[in-house]
Amino acid sequence: MKVNIHLNKRVAVIGAGMTQFRRRILETPQEIAWEASSKALEEAGLELKDIECVVIGSAPDAFDGVNLKGEYLSHGSGGIRKPSSRVFVGGATGVMAAITGWYHVASGMCNTVLVVAEEKMSPARPHPQSVFRYIWDPILEKPLNPNLIWIFAMEMHRYMATYGIKKEEIALVSVKNKRNAANNPYAQLGGNITVDDVLNSEVLVWPVQLLDISPVSDGGAAMIMASEDVARRYSDTPIWVDGVGWTLDNTEWPARDLAYARYLEFAARMAYKMAGIENPYKELDVIEPYDPFDYKELHHIEGLRIAQRGEAPKLLKEGVFDIDGDIPSSPSGGLLGVGNPIAAAGLMKVISIYWQLKGTAGKMQVKKPVHTGLAQAWGDLMQASTVIIMRN
Amino acid sequence: MVVFLNRVAIIGVGWYGFKPTTPEVSFREMVFEAASRAYKDAGDINPRTDVDSFISCQEDFWDGISISDEFAPDQIGGAMRPTMTVSGDTIQGLAHGIMHINSGVADVVTIEGHSKISDILTFPDLVKFAMDPIYLRTLNPPNFHFLAGIDAVKFMERKGVTREDLALVVEKNKRAGLKSVRSSYASNLSVDEILKYNEYVVYPLTRLDIASFVDGAITIVIASEEVAKRVKGDDYLIIRGVGYATDSANAETADIGKATYMRLASNMAYRMGKIDSPRKYFDAVFVDDRYSYKELQHLEALGISEEPVKDLREGNLHPQGEIPVNPLGGHLAKGVPLEASGFSLLLDAIDYINSGKGDRALVGSWRGIPTFTGSVVVVERP
């Protein structure tokens, strides 16, 4: 196995843009994609004619109500009369799209890539959850009619039981992220809530309660990636991609150790090796781990080897992951606060790190100087993880 | 646009199916068969230790699974490895695999595509579901081939193509398919017999002008040339160029009557392969012919023939002609295996080169109605 022995070309992020994340956006998916794309182009100082390749990220086709969604979204994503393709690893798609943009440039295929992630969950009837009724093994699992929240409740329960973690400790993630999101102009659910608010919210599937979980959202995000010579021509502050990693575990989630995301550890190791990171706790300045549920942020921080197994809640309580902490985590507000238009939410995490490293995160900017940041996403049947590491 | 730094080789190929129905296997079992054969062909390699990344080419609705990527890794040996899905034709997946190798994250990459269309009860509805929900789907056409009908009429008017010419393509390809074991739809029909069948699906296309669909799985293993030499000696093929492009997402803004997507994709592949005169360069062409007229339209876009009708009538495109086109039958003989379509044509190209009939082949794939996306690969002996 080779993996990450050398990098052929340096790749930088030079622009990004987002739509607001909302429960129901009235624009079409193509229009959402274009709003994000045009903002990214504007920030990079480029025009569509300057873009050589387009990478599209979007999660289940059924959300937008279009088959062959990558084809449909190529209009609006600038993918007309250009090499345009869509990648897909479930919920981990947003970061995978950024990784794909990276290898488009690093391989020598293109000098400039527009990476676009879009999701419109609102058209699904009677509720976006219905799209998840068909993610299961059609023979072994579908007849049981599981609900997506059920399996995450199992994982949350297992995580809590294995390491003796209390609901109160996990609720602090929701409190932190919604507080951070109050500073994010794109956020859907920012605000000041308390641990008691989380603990008193409606029980969906025990131990998952309403405020443990990210909302249903529509939204788009886009990013411009470029080769070193182009990046230096258009930007005084290019942000470099120094490591990428992705891993898919097998499909059989019931046989997996739900207390620990081993597949994430593998993906992180791949990215750390490429970026030359040996001690992530000491070397990472700011992180955006995927947080569709509050326990997932902690789960992922452990999978990323930033905390030992079962130790993330302790560090959270000590304030390590606060916006003024040692390793600010989800300074954007994360999926819990900004919203969760699946693929767009993952790319939003990458963009958040890009803006942090560039120093243009506005009210979201973390207090300490930051030089190395990490974004991560997670998806499929609790089996996929994607990791990207950037430096300024 | 720049060019690749390193040459990439095809070191292993495996396939299963190419039958109208495959009740004996699930799609995952079918892919397992194809992958096992590809790994055997690649020098009996172990995917868990010898392959660096894995790419599955699939779409949710074709597989009937809402996040079909979940079911990608196990059957190709990609569990706990860098595995991902490219929602596109297998040639697009191949382009991503080449990028994995040239970016430095992999030396060996597996790419798979499959079709289990016999499981799909509502295929025409799913194609309709791929049309723009506002501008196109609401037209509620009687069948999805109407877009091909419009495209065919415009192309035929522009290039002076007749129904007899379309029948010549059907005759040529269905007969050529008799030489390949994968051709479920090959037959020895004559032009007269084809023309006698005049019940149009949509004018000017009858059922015989339209390729049927087929179940099948194809897995291809690619590697940097350095690795290829190590594991296969000189028994490998080189990918000299690859390209893919989308003309437009919407029918109303696409170049109807022209395969602009194929022109853009082939320009990219030729630039990468430094190919100036494609007609002279290639020994054979393997191009999407899921509608009979598409073969001719694609040949024009690929720069193989400015006057494809003239070439067809003069026999230049026949298996023994000056530039054989689909000499093993194409989709009209083999059927269309959904996202594996590009690899189906590439398999023919590999078979053709390995049989000693030529050294350099061009493959051009299209994603079908309602898309305007094409992909091209140039494959040759090292």
Side-chain angles (χ1 to χ4, degrees):
Chain A
M1 180 177 170
K2 178 184 176 171
V3 180
N4 318 322
I5 302 303
H6 65 281
L7 293 175
N8 284 338
K9 289 179 85 174
R10 286 186 89 191
V11 181
V13 182
I14 60 169
M18 285 173 52
T19 68
Q20 292 202 324
F21 287 6
R22 290 292 178 262
R23 174 63 181 85
R24 181 171 289 107
I25 293 178
L26 297 181
E27 281 74 12
T28 66
Q30 292 176 336
E31 289 166 336
I32 292 172
W34 176 242
E35 184 184 333
S37 301
S38 55
K39 284 180 177 171
L41 287 165
E42 191 181 336
E43 187 180 304
L46 295 177
E47 294 179 26
L48 201 48
K49 66 177 172 53
D50 301 317
I51 297 297
E52 293 179 351
C53 296
V54 171
V55 172
I56 295 166
S58 203
D61 303 50
F63 277 142
D64 291 75
V66 186
N67 182 15
L68 308 178
K69 189 158 59 164
E71 300 288 337
Y72 170 72
L73 281 175
S74 61
H75 195 91
S77 304
I80 302 302
R81 305 213 162 126
K82 285 189 171 69
S84 168
S85 51
R86 172 186 169 210
V87 294
F88 185 24
V89 278
T93 298
V95 174
M96 193 69 227
I99 293 171
T100 306
W102 168 82
Y103 69 63
H104 270 64
V105 179
S107 66
M109 173 76 101
C110 320
N111 280 316
T112 49
V113 181
L114 173 57
V115 178
V116 186
E118 184 277 344
E119 210 80 54
K120 194 166 165 75
M121 298 170 85
S122 60
R125 295 288 182 274
H127 186 275
Q129 273 293 332
S130 58
V131 169
F132 294 125
R133 291 183 68 180
Y134 300 96
I135 67 171
W136 315 99
D137 185 300
I139 297 166
L140 299 174
E141 294 164 0
K142 178 66 188 67
L144 299 172
N145 270 328
N147 173 308
L148 197 65
I149 302 176
W150 293 6
I151 67 167
F152 298 137
M154 283 185 214
E155 190 179 68
M156 183 171 176
H157 220 151
R158 186 79 194 130
Y159 176 58
M160 292 166 64
T162 302
Y163 303 118
I165 297 165
K166 294 185 181 132
K167 276 275 301 175
E168 293 84 326
E169 295 172 289
I170 290 173
L172 281 170
V173 174
S174 201
V175 172
K176 168 179 73 70
N177 289 5
K178 286 179 190 292
R179 185 174 61 224
N180 289 349
N183 293 321
N184 188 333
Y186 301 99
Q188 181 179 345
L189 275 183
N192 280 314
I193 61 166
T194 64
V195 167
D196 282 344
D197 290 334
V198 179
L199 298 181
N200 293 328
S201 62
E202 181 186 350
V203 174
L204 302 178
V205 183
W206 183 257
V208 175
Q209 292 173 265
L210 188 63
L211 291 177
D212 288 314
I213 192 170
S214 56
V216 168
S217 314
D218 294 351
M223 206 165 75
I224 312 281
M225 302 177 94
S227 58
E228 184 167 7
D229 52 337
V230 174
R232 293 209 184 276
R233 212 178 318 145
Y234 284 93
S235 175
D236 295 330
T237 52
I239 303 303
W240 305 102
V241 177
D242 277 358
V244 301
W246 70 100
T247 297
L248 223 64
D249 203 340
N250 65 44
T251 313
E252 310 310 324
W253 64 271
R256 200 167 299 142
D257 174 10
L258 298 179
Y260 182 70
R262 202 166 58 101
Y263 49 90
L264 170 55
E265 183 185 326
F266 276 44
R269 278 185 182 165
M270 180 175 168
Y272 292 151
K273 189 175 175 187
M274 192 185 290
I277 289 176
E278 290 176 356
N279 186 337
Y281 183 85
K282 287 188 178 165
E283 295 176 61
L284 292 170
D285 298 319
V286 56
I287 58 172
E288 283 278 358
Y290 206 60
D291 61 326
F293 295 75
D294 45 10
Y295 80 94
K296 284 307 296 185
E297 178 157 319
L298 303 168
H299 205 233
H300 288 150
I301 285 171
E302 292 167 18
L304 288 164
R305 310 303 296 144
I306 292 166
Q308 295 298 312
R309 295 184 191 200
E311 296 289 314
K314 185 168 157 278
L315 297 178
L316 174 72
K317 207 169 173 182
E318 290 168 3
V320 170
F321 303 124
D322 285 346
I323 200 150
D324 54 357
D326 286 347
I327 310 175
S329 179
S330 296
S332 65
L335 280 57
L336 288 162
V338 191
N340 186 10
I342 303 178
L347 193 57
M348 176 275 288
K349 294 229 148 218
V350 184
I351 291 170
S352 165
I353 293 297
Y354 160 66
W355 283 337
Q356 289 289 345
L357 295 174
K358 200 178 168 196
T360 57
K363 285 185 182 171
M364 295 178 279
Q365 191 70 43
V366 303
K367 308 300 175 214
K368 60 181 256 192
V370 287
H371 302 289
T372 305
L374 176 150
Q376 175 255 335
W378 162 82
D380 283 354
L381 275 170
M382 302 190 283
Q383 75 193 103
S385 246
T386 45
V387 177
I388 190 165
I389 295 166
M390 297 190 286
R391 290 195 175 101
N392 54 19
Chain B
M1 195 81 66
V2 281
V3 294
F4 286 124
L5 306 168
N6 303 310
R7 299 207 321 166
V8 172
I10 294 173
I11 62 166
V13 175
W15 61 271
Y16 180 90
F18 283 92
K19 294 184 279 188
T21 60
T22 47
E24 74 280 11
V25 283
S26 69
F27 85 83
R28 297 174 82 189
E29 289 165 328
M30 196 162 57
V31 173
F32 175 77
E33 288 291 341
S36 303
R37 293 168 191 186
Y39 295 137
K40 187 85 181 163
D41 186 45
D44 215 3
I45 59 173
N46 178 353
R48 290 170 188 82
T49 53
D50 301 332
V51 177
D52 299 315
S53 69
F54 301 80
I55 296 171
S56 174
C57 300
Q58 55 184 344
E59 286 282 355
D60 281 5
F61 282 103
W62 298 154
D63 283 334
I65 292 167
S66 196
I67 306 175
S68 53
D69 177 68
E70 300 161 346
F71 293 81
D74 302 20
Q75 56 273 17
I76 50 176
M80 292 306 282
R81 310 299 303 283
T83 299
M84 62 179 289
T85 285
V86 172
S87 306
D89 185 273
T90 27
I91 303 290
Q92 285 174 279
L94 181 72
H96 280 251
I98 293 168
M99 287 189 263
H100 285 190
I101 291 172
N102 275 289
S103 63
V105 297
D107 266 339
V108 182
V109 182
T110 294
I111 304 113
E112 77 86 13
H114 59 268
S115 158
K116 185 73 170 166
I117 192 163
S118 62
D119 274 356
I120 303 177
L121 302 178
T122 55
F123 185 75
D125 290 332
L126 292 185
V127 176
K128 189 178 163 192
F129 209 53
M131 296 178 184
D132 185 285
I134 297 169
Y135 297 110
L136 206 51
R137 209 185 292 170
T138 45
L139 293 176
N140 205 19
N143 64 57
F144 65 81
H145 301 291
F146 83 101
L147 271 177
I150 295 168
D151 191 42
V153 167
K154 198 161 179 193
F155 170 70
M156 289 166 74
E157 273 183 17
R158 186 166 61 79
K159 299 303 282 187
V161 183
T162 64
R163 275 280 309 139
E164 287 73 17
D165 296 322
L166 300 189
L168 271 173
V169 173
V170 177
E171 179 198 62
K172 171 177 77 71
N173 290 3
K174 284 194 177 280
R175 278 187 183 165
L178 294 168
K179 291 179 217 140
S180 169
V181 292
R182 287 189 295 276
S183 300
S184 286
Y185 302 104
S187 63
N188 202 12
L189 289 172
S190 69
V191 167
D192 286 342
E193 286 168 317
I194 293 161
L195 288 172
K196 261 185 214 159
Y197 190 88
N198 57 8
E199 192 178 317
Y200 293 115
V201 175
V202 57
Y203 181 83
L205 306 168
T206 71
R207 192 163 55 83
L208 293 176
D209 289 296
I210 301 172
S212 300
F213 288 89
V214 73
D215 283 0
I218 308 169
T219 301
I220 290 185
V221 185
I222 61 172
S224 61
E225 190 169 15
E226 187 191 337
V227 170
K229 278 182 183 157
R230 212 161 56 224
V231 297
K232 295 278 286 186
D234 59 358
D235 181 22
Y236 61 87
L237 297 180
I238 279 291
I239 298 166
R240 192 181 172 97
V242 69
Y244 58 97
T246 298
D247 174 8
S248 175
N250 299 354
E252 62 273 18
T253 52
D255 262 350
I256 301 289
K258 288 182 182 172
T260 299
Y261 52 86
M262 197 66 92
R263 180 173 58 75
L264 296 167
S266 58
N267 284 347
M268 183 174 164
Y270 296 159
R271 195 164 55 243
M272 199 178 289
K274 299 186 176 65
I275 295 164
D276 297 325
S277 309
R279 171 97 174 209
K280 285 185 192 158
Y281 190 82
F282 294 107
D283 297 318
V285 178
F286 300 83
V287 70
D288 183 284
D289 61 334
R290 66 182 74 195
Y291 297 101
S292 52
Y293 80 95
K294 272 287 178 190
E295 174 168 305
L296 304 173
Q297 193 189 55
H298 286 151
L299 288 174
E300 181 197 25
L302 288 165
I304 294 295
S305 174
E306 281 305 310
E307 294 302 332
V309 185
K310 185 165 168 276
D311 276 327
L312 177 73
R313 290 175 188 165
E314 290 175 359
N316 295 338
L317 311 181
H318 275 246
Q320 289 77 35
E322 179 206 332
I323 176 96
V325 175
N326 288 325
L328 295 176
H331 293 321
L332 283 166
K334 299 206 169 52
V336 177
L338 295 176
E339 303 306 347
S341 295
F343 270 8
S344 167
L345 297 167
L346 181 55
L347 269 186
D348 282 356
I350 292 168
D351 281 357
Y352 192 82
I353 293 173
N354 286 342
S355 69
K357 288 179 183 153
D359 294 329
R360 298 158 166 180
L362 172 66
V363 175
S365 184
W366 170 50
R367 285 198 83 192
I369 298 288
T371 79
F372 296 90
T373 294
S375 45
V376 169
V377 60
V378 174
V379 63
E380 62 187 38
R381 283 194 192 282

